[in-house]
Amino acid sequence: MKRLNDTTLQLIVIVAIAVAVCILGVLQYHWTSEISTVEQERLKTVLTKSIRNFDRQFAYDFERLGESFEIDPAEPASTIDARISQKYLDWSRTTSRPDLISGVFLWRKDKGRTPYVESLDRTKLQFQSAAWPSDIEELQQDLEKQFELIPPSMTGHEATYYPWKFYGDALALVRPLFQIISQARDSDMGVEPLGFLVVRIDGQSLKRRYLADLIEDNFAPSGFMVAIRSANPPYRAIYLSDPAFPIATSAPDAEIDLFKSVGEEARRRGHPAVEADEQGREWQLVAQHPSGSLEEAVVRWRRRNLAISLALLGILLSCVGLIFSLSRRAERLSKLQMQFVAGISHELCTPLTVINSAIENLADGIVDDPAQVQEYAAILRDQGGRLSRLLDQVLLLASGKVEQTASELRPVEVAAVVTHTITTFEKMLHDEGFTLQTEMAMDVPPIMADPVLLSECIANLISNAMKYGGPNRWIALRIQEVKARASHEVQISVEDQGIGIAPGDLQSIFEPFYRVQAVRDGQVRGVGLGLYLVKRMIESMGGRISVSSALGRGSRFVLHFSVMGLVKDPLTPHLSSPSTTG
Ligand code: ADP
């Protein structure tokens, strides 16, 4: 009753823990969903901040670059060279990236003259006539066209705010230069264009150093991939922070036009804006999460967190189940051990009582007839044998010798071992009225085994067949060679027509100290170690044991030994004619 209560209590605890784990699972699910919404917002904020910082720094740097090269149209045109040189000098002294400019050019179109080009010698700080750089030939052609489009005269104010153009392909900042129209007294009465100032940007320095550093500073902590590309399809990559960036993506996590902020910064500071050379050729910054998108990243994060949490809860639940099953097992084992102690005491006491009374009868001279003495000697031998078999089993269990047999295996002819084992049982079988039927197939191949252990196993099975063989008192012992598609075995079987074993007990009978309840109640001698030891011995020799049984109709125990390896092994050809052992 108490044990039932313990079990019920354990079950209640298990169910309570399982319910708690399920509730925790549901809470964890909701909690993870809430956290993932927060995480999504956090990532968005981080991205927006990174984009804003990048944009602000880029706008600041490019606006300052344009601002540094502004030329006052009211000053005399004759000093334009010197003024640009001075501007360059001032810029290079104050910038942290002097290698960003790769050249400064003057494209001039004086009245009645063909256009000519001057390049700034950045060491001497002087302009010298030069050839137009061949790698930006198209720009020169464009400048000629653009020059025609500039109004022939405008006010000084208009000229002062005339915007810069950024040629993305040529990497050049270009702005017209003006001079006061000769008849006008000051610039507000009129200025006219005299050419272009071209500030070339160094591609390597811009991409590898400037953009790379700016992106690294702003985006590395958030882990977003970033690209700078042309604003309209087909997209042209200017810079990629990761070669895997899908440049053609139409749905990035964030995008921003770069020179828009440059223009705004210039307007704010009262300077000319910077525009793309042509509409649609602006540069834009696009950012995308490496998982494909920000939403995808959060979904994955959520799934991963859920999986980890549920796995942990699952482990927790399995641990509870394991503890429960282990405690049940320990309980069962201790019960079995108690039964074992009781059983072994009984097993020791019964033969000892018989032996003692026989010895007393002999010693007191109660038995003196030679025939009776013979009978007493037989009783003493039987009971002594029973005791020593029991001790053998217990010692074998305690010594662990069973596991050490693998190294002692050798080719064994099964028929010889079986025949030898039968002889040790012959008298007992005859005395107890058993019929032993033997069927031994001819030419059975040898198996790898320890003959002593094998004989022990067969003896155990025969002994059980006698104990549990019922009134029929019939035992069959067979040796067969069984060839199937995937296996080739020698099988040794011991069959009886006795009490049989219920299906529910079939697995348990191989556990130590286990005995079927009916057997225990029926006071049949035994301690529940035989089959356990047989199983261990057989498995230590590489074989296995199986059982089939029907309650009330009998049982059949089969020892299986594979012969595949032996037959095929080229190193042991002598095994075809093995020496027999017993
Ligand atoms: P023991 O015979 O000492 O009880 P075993 O380990 O040899 O221990 O057997 C375990 C149990 O299996 C036995 O108690 C018995 O209930 C059952 N058993 C074994 N062999 C047979 C058999 N041939 N027929 C019916 N029951 C068997």
Side-chain angles (χ1 to χ4, degrees):
M1 184 65 189
K2 187 179 176 299
R3 204 170 296 123
L4 182 75
N5 283 345
D6 283 351
T7 314
T8 317
L9 197 71
Q10 276 181 1
L11 268 174
I12 292 171
V13 172
I14 297 271
V15 170
I17 292 175
V19 170
V21 166
C22 290
I23 294 173
L24 279 178
V26 173
L27 287 178
Q28 181 71 19
Y29 180 82
H30 286 296
W31 185 67
T32 311
S33 303
E34 276 173 33
I35 300 249
S36 48
T37 316
V38 174
E39 175 64 7
Q40 187 163 346
E41 286 310 311
R42 188 190 70 81
L43 278 177
K44 269 187 193 161
T45 314
V46 167
L47 180 59
T48 313
K49 205 169 144 206
S50 304
I51 294 256
R52 202 185 315 122
N53 285 347
F54 179 97
D55 192 37
R56 204 179 287 153
Q57 287 174 36
F58 185 85
Y60 179 87
D61 291 337
F62 267 75
E63 196 282 331
R64 288 305 136 91
L65 187 61
E67 197 180 315
S68 305
F69 285 90
E70 266 169 47
I71 303 298
D72 186 353
E75 301 264 334
S78 56
T79 62
I80 234 167
D81 291 13
R83 279 187 282 141
I84 296 174
S85 305
Q86 187 57 46
K87 294 266 179 190
Y88 174 77
L89 183 64
D90 292 345
W91 175 81
S92 59
R93 276 183 184 153
T94 50
T95 184
S96 59
R97 296 186 183 271
D99 55 348
L100 197 60
I101 291 181
S102 64
V104 180
F105 295 89
L106 262 176
W107 184 91
R108 292 191 63 156
K109 177 103 173 61
D110 294 345
K111 269 203 193 91
R113 287 186 60 183
T114 47
Y116 63 96
V117 179
E118 286 181 349
S119 158
L120 175 68
D121 182 324
R122 288 185 287 162
T123 8
K124 292 187 192 153
L125 290 174
Q126 278 175 5
F127 275 93
Q128 293 165 347
S129 55
W132 184 255
S134 56
D135 58 325
I136 50 172
E137 197 56 54
E138 278 176 22
L139 176 59
Q140 191 182 19
Q141 289 158 15
D142 200 68
L143 290 185
E144 284 191 36
K145 278 189 224 146
Q146 293 299 324
F147 193 77
E148 299 308 322
L149 297 176
I150 302 171
S153 73
M154 61 178 90
T155 64
H157 182 265
E158 285 169 331
T160 303
Y161 289 97
Y162 203 94
W164 286 93
K165 277 207 168 148
F166 179 68
Y167 286 77
D169 291 347
L171 290 181
L173 272 171
V174 177
R175 188 159 177 264
L177 292 166
F178 298 93
Q179 62 181 350
I180 299 173
I181 297 171
S182 45
Q183 304 91 330
R185 264 176 283 112
D186 62 46
S187 63
D188 273 342
M189 292 177 67
V191 295
E192 60 184 0
L194 63 83
F196 287 104
L197 169 61
V198 180
V199 179
R200 280 202 82 186
I201 307 226
D202 183 75
Q204 292 283 345
S205 172
L206 177 78
K207 293 176 188 171
R208 297 261 169 86
R209 288 189 282 279
Y210 176 72
L211 289 177
D213 288 355
L214 208 56
I215 285 171
E216 172 75 16
D217 289 350
N218 289 292
F219 292 94
S222 61
F224 278 89
M225 298 193 293
V226 176
I228 293 176
R229 67 180 188 187
S230 53
N232 292 321
Y235 298 109
R236 195 170 52 86
I238 315 304
Y239 178 81
L240 298 177
S241 71
D242 187 323
F245 194 102
I247 193 69
T249 178
S250 56
D253 288 324
E255 64 180 25
I256 187 167
D257 284 340
L258 281 182
F259 285 95
K260 208 168 147 207
S261 300
V262 180
E264 279 163 16
E265 173 78 1
R267 253 189 304 285
R268 200 177 56 75
R269 288 176 58 86
H271 292 276
V274 180
E275 296 169 351
D277 61 319
E278 222 177 89
Q279 224 180 4
R281 289 171 65 85
E282 296 89 352
W283 280 6
Q284 70 173 189
L285 172 91
V286 280
Q288 187 149 326
H289 198 277
S291 311
S293 74
L294 198 143
E295 283 75 17
E296 180 66 29
V298 173
V299 167
R300 276 195 206 173
W301 178 89
R302 180 165 169 259
R303 265 194 223 133
R304 203 174 44 233
N305 271 2
L306 266 179
I308 292 172
S309 312
L310 294 182
L312 284 176
L313 290 178
I315 290 172
L316 188 70
L317 208 59
S318 348
C319 285
V320 173
L322 194 69
I323 290 171
F324 179 70
S325 95
L326 285 180
S327 76
R328 301 267 301 162
R329 205 183 138 100
E331 200 179 293
R332 202 161 138 237
L333 208 66
S334 85
K335 198 173 127 197
L336 286 173
Q337 274 168 340
M338 291 299 291
Q339 285 168 2
F340 168 70
V341 172
I344 207 155
S345 314
H346 176 260
E347 284 296 293
L348 286 171
C349 286
T350 313
L352 277 176
T353 315
V354 176
I355 289 169
N356 281 340
S357 69
I359 290 172
E360 264 173 38
N361 285 352
L362 285 170
D364 296 348
I366 297 172
V367 177
D368 53 2
D369 177 30
Q372 266 189 313
V373 171
Q374 276 282 323
E375 205 178 303
Y376 269 63
I379 291 171
L380 287 173
R381 194 188 55 223
D382 277 0
Q383 297 302 325
R386 191 175 153 187
L387 272 179
S388 66
R389 262 200 309 282
L390 178 67
L391 278 177
D392 280 351
Q393 282 190 347
V394 175
L395 289 176
L396 201 57
L397 174 78
S399 69
K401 183 181 173 286
V402 177
E403 264 75 27
Q404 296 160 15
T405 52
S407 58
E408 294 158 23
L409 302 186
R410 56 198 166 93
V412 166
E413 197 179 307
V414 182
V417 178
V418 170
T419 310
H420 167 83
T421 315
I422 290 172
T423 51
T424 63
F425 275 90
E426 248 162 16
K427 185 167 182 327
M428 219 188 302
L429 287 165
H430 176 263
D431 290 352
E432 295 189 22
F434 274 91
T435 309
L436 177 68
Q437 184 181 323
T438 52
E439 289 171 30
M440 300 200 205
M442 299 296 288
D443 300 329
V444 171
I447 58 166
M448 285 300 275
D450 176 328
V452 179
L453 286 191
L454 181 60
S455 172
E456 185 68 31
C457 294
I458 299 166
N460 240 302
L461 296 181
I462 297 176
S463 167
N464 276 356
M466 289 175 73
K467 275 198 287 182
Y468 309 113
N472 272 9
R473 300 194 165 245
W474 174 89
I475 299 173
L477 216 160
R478 298 187 185 89
I479 301 174
Q480 283 173 290
E481 183 182 2
V482 179
K483 283 184 190 172
R485 192 142 32 112
S487 67
H488 181 188
E489 286 183 340
V490 167
Q491 297 181 353
I492 307 159
S493 64
V494 178
E495 192 178 340
D496 63 61
Q497 294 173 340
I499 59 173
I501 305 161
D505 286 317
L506 276 181
Q507 280 308 310
S508 310
I509 54 171
F510 295 102
E511 287 175 15
F513 314 127
Y514 187 88
R515 307 197 76 209
V516 171
Q517 190 63 41
V519 167
R520 214 178 296 127
D521 296 344
Q523 302 272 305
V524 184
R525 66 186 164 81
V527 287
L529 273 181
L531 285 181
Y532 167 69
L533 288 170
V534 170
K535 185 169 186 286
R536 276 178 59 185
M537 287 191 272
I538 292 299
E539 285 173 358
S540 77
M541 291 187 279
R544 70 185 168 89
I545 182 168
S546 67
V547 57
S548 51
S549 184
L551 205 56
R553 295 229 301 274
S555 312
R556 182 168 179 256
F557 287 85
V558 186
L559 306 179
H560 305 253
F561 287 92
S562 170
V563 291
M564 293 291 252
L566 255 177
V567 174
K568 285 182 184 162
D569 189 352
L571 292 174
T572 53
H574 60 283
L575 296 178
S576 53
S577 56
S579 60
T580 56
T581 51

